[in-house]
Amino acid sequence: MLRKGLSRTGRVLAGLALAALVGGAADTPAPLDIAHWRQVFARPDHTPTPGDNPATPEKVALGAKLFEDARLSGAGDVACASCHQAELSFSDGVDRHVGHDGQPLDRRTPPLWNLAWGLSFFWDGRAPSLETQAMVPIENAREMAGNLQTALRALSADPQMRQEFARAFPDDPAVTQANLAKALSAFQRTLVSPETRFDRWVKGDDTALEPDELAGFSLFVGKAGCVACHQGWRFTDEAFHDIGLTSGDKGRGPVLGVGAADHAFKTPSLRERVWSAPYMHDGSLTTFEDVVDHYADRVVQRSTLSADLPRRIALSAGERAQLVAFLNTLSSDDPPRPASLPARTMALGAVADAVSASTISQKDRRFTPGAVILKAGDALRILNDDTRVHNVRLDGPGKSFSSDAQNPGDTVTIGFDQPGHYDVICGIHPEMRLSVDVAQAR
Ligand code: HEC
Ligand code: HEC
């Protein structure tokens, strides 16, 4: 509270000083297209939930309890909430949490806001769903050092728990691994970050942002280039980028087996980050000021840098302060409480009408067309006419494929011999989805 109050005053003063100093700045930015950006950053009115794990109040309540239950850990001393602390944006305030072996973990504890919209989980995206993610920390020797079977036995021995599992899962009233994962995930999907001053501005309140904050937003979507990756109301494209930090962690590369994705990490949301310092996968940057200085002049030059990262951004001290002022408007003034939105069962990602085509384009991080019909025996050509490196992947029953790094200009050809449905994605930009239906050859 105090910290935030001070920084708010500091911001106003900095803004005033700045206006006096740079009154006639040399490079005039393009005028802000307010109507456009208000549309781009509008919040949704419901939370997506997967069809096989619909949210019910009983399930969410059970998940919330399990999230704080140390019986999930080997020694009964660590719960999910030990590292993901509500008052710290479900993070832990340290660069790297000290693990069970007394050594710091490899990566920083990420905040858990707005994961219902996530397409992959962990900094390197190695878990495809919240349900699969939840089991990992329990058995991780350095995190909870637990054993699932032991944890399930401990929970089953508690009559109250048995009853709560039965209420949450009336069709399958048992304390099982699947139900544990479903309850934890259903709870985590309710962690929607609340509206902040920025959202009031998005909804049309022109007075919600101070002039220096609005100037910071202009830089964010303009010459600072931040919006290339931090896009949409959650401020993430769900993609993996190398932004040139000094850390030796290879991130997404080893997960995909694609060297071009080395040092790439999932773009984090920027919501409620005032409460979750320090920043980045290694917790190496302490303040928003450090983050902005990083992008402006500390990027480590290497071949794996994201095509979406501006190579040089000239930002004056005043402009840096404005960017920081804007970042602050994405956080609540008091420790945030989750906002609840009605849940709606839906698949993430738009489903396009399938057309018959043999060549697919990948321009602007989109497969076009997004859905195709083929005949068994046909081949599909996928042309990278984008400016970015892609990694075409297909994982399905009886068929798996990875293109390795597909550079701009490269074409990848996949043959389809068996009828069926296939989903093709880009391993570096998982929001790119191509649905392939292969019909029986006649
Ligand atoms: C010892 C600290 C610790 C505990 C306990 C812990 N986590 Fe985490 N959590 C982490 C760290 C560190 C990461 C990042 C690891 C990585 O990306 O490789 C993480 C990542 C996650 C993520 C991915 C978030 C994202 O943005 O992709 C989720 C979800 C999550 N944890 C949920 C849980 C749940 C549920 C539990 C309890 C079953 C739990 N965590 C227990 C430290 C912890
Ligand atoms: C090329 C894509 C890209 C661009 C452009 C970009 N970011 Fe990021 N941002 C990321 C990724 C990826 C991370 C996490 C990197 C890591 O941990 O290795 C990140 C991390 C952050 C974080 C830390 C969040 C946290 O919780 O740790 C902040 C704050 C941030 N960016 C702000 C900005 C600002 C401000 C700009 C514009 C000056 C910007 N970003 C430009 C991709 C991008």
Side-chain angles (χ1 to χ4, degrees), residues 374-395:
L374 301 175
K375 284 198 311 296
D378 284 353
L380 195 59
R381 294 176 72 244
I382 302 178
L383 163 68
N384 186 349
D385 47 356
D386 204 348
T387 51
R388 305 158 175 92
V389 179
H390 292 304
N391 168 233
V392 173
R393 303 181 79 85
L394 182 157
D395 278 307

Side-chain angles (χ1 to χ4, degrees), residues 108 225-226 229-230 245 265 268 270 273 279-281 295 306:
R108 171 186 149 236
C226 317
C229 307
H230 296 286
L245 295 165
F265 291 86
L270 299 181
R273 259 42 190 188
Y279 304 108
M280 305 300 173
H281 71 272
Y295 285 111
S306 169

Side-chain angles (χ1 to χ4, degrees), residues 117-393:
W117 289 265
L119 297 179
S120 70
F121 303 90
F122 288 122
W123 284 101
D124 57 13
R126 64 190 185 278
S129 69
L130 280 176
E131 281 77 1
T132 49
Q133 191 284 328
M135 296 303 109
V136 179
I138 297 178
E139 295 210 306
N140 182 315
R142 303 187 55 205
E143 296 189 6
M144 299 174 83
N147 172 292
L148 267 171
Q149 295 319 315
T150 315
L152 293 171
R153 262 199 307 277
L155 296 175
S156 318
D158 175 349
Q160 171 85 16
M161 265 292 157
R162 279 206 305 277
Q163 205 178 58
E164 287 181 41
F165 268 84
R167 273 196 228 114
F169 299 98
D171 298 336
D172 172 27
V175 181
T176 59
Q177 174 179 336
N179 287 345
L180 172 64
K182 283 181 175 176
L184 282 169
S185 307
F187 163 66
Q188 291 182 88
R189 289 194 179 92
T190 66
L191 305 179
V192 178
S193 65
E195 283 190 12
T196 67
R197 267 182 319 114
F198 176 70
D199 300 294
R200 293 203 282 287
W201 179 83
V202 165
K203 282 172 150 179
D205 178 355
D206 291 329
T207 65
L209 296 186
E210 289 156 25
D212 57 326
E213 295 165 344
L214 196 58
F217 178 62
S218 265
L219 290 165
F220 189 92
V221 299
K223 93 166 176 186
C226 317
V227 79
C229 307
H230 296 286
Q231 36 184 260
W233 76 279
R234 293 186 306 129
F235 289 85
T236 169
D237 58 1
E238 286 292 323
F240 299 87
H241 301 277
D242 174 6
I243 61 162
L245 295 165
T246 50
S247 141
D249 190 332
K250 296 271 178 73
R252 187 67 170 162
V255 174
L256 296 177
V258 173
D262 278 355
H263 305 290
F265 291 86
K266 190 174 64 170
T267 307
S269 171
L270 299 181
R271 292 277 179 178
E272 301 297 351
R273 259 42 190 188
V274 159
W275 304 101
S276 67
Y279 304 108
M280 305 300 173
H281 71 272
D282 54 356
S284 58
L285 302 182
T286 312
T287 63
F288 283 160
E289 282 79 1
D290 296 338
V291 170
V292 171
D293 288 347
H294 165 77
Y295 285 111
D297 37 42
R298 300 205 186 132
V299 170
V300 174
Q301 300 297 318
R302 57 188 168 220
S303 63
T304 48
L305 278 189
S306 169
D308 290 298
L309 188 74
R311 291 306 187 265
R312 270 188 59 83
I313 327 172
L315 291 174
S316 67
E319 288 171 326
R320 293 179 200 207
Q322 290 173 329
L323 264 174
V324 170
F326 164 66
L327 290 175
N328 281 322
T329 71
L330 303 177
S331 291
S332 303
D333 290 334
D334 296 312
R337 300 253 197 108
S340 69
L341 288 180
R344 192 184 299 165
T345 303
M346 58 177 284
L348 289 166
V351 182
D353 285 333
V355 297
S356 96
S358 57
T359 303
I360 306 286
S361 146
Q362 284 167 294
K363 208 167 158 60
D364 296 332
R365 300 204 239 178
R366 185 162 290 146
F367 287 118
T368 314
V372 287
I373 306 170
L374 301 175
K375 284 198 311 296
D378 284 353
L380 195 59
R381 294 176 72 244
I382 302 178
L383 163 68
N384 186 349
D385 47 356
D386 204 348
T387 51
R388 305 158 175 92
V389 179
H390 292 304
N391 168 233
V392 173
R393 303 181 79 85

